Amino acid sequence: MVSMYFRWLVLVMFIAFTVAGNVLVCLAVCTSRRLHRISSCFVVALAVTDLLVGLLVLPLSATLELHNGRWPLGGTVCNIYLSADVTLGTASIFTLLAISVDRYMAISAPLSYTTRLTPARAAAAILVIWIASLTVAFAPIHMGWNTVDFQVQNNDWRMGDEGDKGRTCRYEWNNNYVLLVAFCIYFFPLLLMCGMYHRIFSMAREQVRRIRAATPSGTRSSTCLRGATLREHKATVTLAAVLGVFIVCWLPYIVFFTCMGLRHETEPPQVAHSIVLWLGYFNSALNPILYPALNRDFRHAYGHLLHCRKPHKNVQQNPRKRKKHLF
């Protein structure tokens, strides 16, 4: 009982932290003028995806963990839960791909960036991401494409059936399907993003070299150009770090998922499955920490929202100036 209550407490705290952190990211972008950029739309889209993970997926995953892998809610809810889980994971990686494309456009063609990426195009890209994610997630499991016999899984499972109390809720797969999903949803976008960020950082170094060679140091134009370039480079570094954390968190699960499918494992090891799955969920809680850790604009926005901004040094050191300013 002590172990169960401890697990329950840890899972509740983890879910609450995930939800609160991603709500804070959305509020930071909405309230900070420095973050009012078109590229922030994709950051908010990623935060909303992580927020939905915390609201919709994590409570059901925690229920599964607290029941020692046994699912108490029947087959229909199980299929919807699995589809939602795959939808949000797919939306995350497609949003990261859109972010990498956005960074590539900002670094490769900074002068035409604002005309090429308009709010309407950003919204259309996010809409396409969600339509593709919903299709990839819901169609296979509700059409039976992921099972060995091509029958819809859990179709004969009704909530409350006495003989089904010991059943678990897991994503079934066959060898062809698991390879297709792993390659199309994870490995191919990952290769694209890694290649794109490599190209981005190469161009960024070249841009800095050209700016230093073309503009005399100390001039106003030089300061403006370097400031704008530095902002774009810092944003790129932050988002590249977000991608790196995503890879570290989700790669073990994708490898585990692929190996179990190729070996035709009908009952994967429960402990190993839980570890790699919750490591992937941990990514949704890490992103709200990465933004303020690597980006000063997010730190300022967080400080404003949490009312922990320090008073100005001049106000503390010289109270006479403060009175003169006020009156």
Side-chain angles (χ1 to χ4, degrees), residues 82 85-86 140-141 144-154 168-182 252-270 272-274 276-277:
L82 294 174
D85 195 3
V86 176
I141 195 171
W145 298 344
N146 61 311
T147 59
V148 177
D149 56 0
F150 296 100
Q151 298 295 320
V152 178
Q153 67 176 71
N154 303 323
T168 187
C169 181
R170 62 175 181 81
Y171 202 97
E172 296 182 16
W173 50 73
N174 58 40
N175 57 341
N176 296 325
Y177 178 75
V178 69
L179 287 176
L180 181 64
V181 169
Y253 180 78
I254 297 299
V255 173
F256 179 85
F257 175 81
T258 305
C259 292
M260 292 299 103
L262 294 176
R263 292 171 57 184
H264 303 283
E265 291 283 349
T266 57
E267 291 292 338
Q270 183 63 35
H273 182 268
S274 297
V276 296
L277 181 62

Side-chain angles (χ1 to χ4, degrees), residues 18-19 21-27 29 40-54 92 95 99 130 284 287-288 291 298 302:
T18 302
V19 172
N22 287 286
V23 168
L24 191 61
V25 171
C26 296
L27 291 176
V29 175
S40 296
C41 295
F42 299 111
V43 174
V44 172
L46 186 61
V48 169
T49 303
D50 291 333
L51 176 62
L52 291 177
V53 170
S92 294
T95 303
I99 288 173
W130 276 96
S284 298
N287 286 339
Y291 294 130
F298 268 100
Y302 275 32

Side-chain angles (χ1 to χ4, degrees), residues 191-263:
L191 290 174
L192 285 179
M193 285 184 279
C194 290
M196 207 169 299
Y197 274 110
H198 178 268
R199 179 61 181 161
I200 286 170
F201 286 118
S202 299
M203 289 188 298
R205 286 195 299 267
E206 181 64 21
Q207 284 182 0
V208 171
R209 188 188 64 79
R210 288 181 179 179
I211 289 174
R212 288 176 178 174
T215 57
S217 60
T219 62
R220 184 175 180 180
S221 59
S222 172
T223 304
C224 292
L225 279 173
R226 290 180 183 179
T229 305
L230 185 61
R231 283 194 300 271
E232 293 295 343
H233 293 176
K234 286 184 176 179
T236 303
V237 170
T238 301
L239 297 171
V242 171
L243 171 62
V245 171
F246 181 89
I247 294 171
V248 171
C249 289
W250 279 108
L251 183 60
Y253 180 78
I254 297 299
V255 173
F256 179 85
F257 175 81
T258 305
C259 292
M260 292 299 103
L262 294 176
R263 292 171 57 184

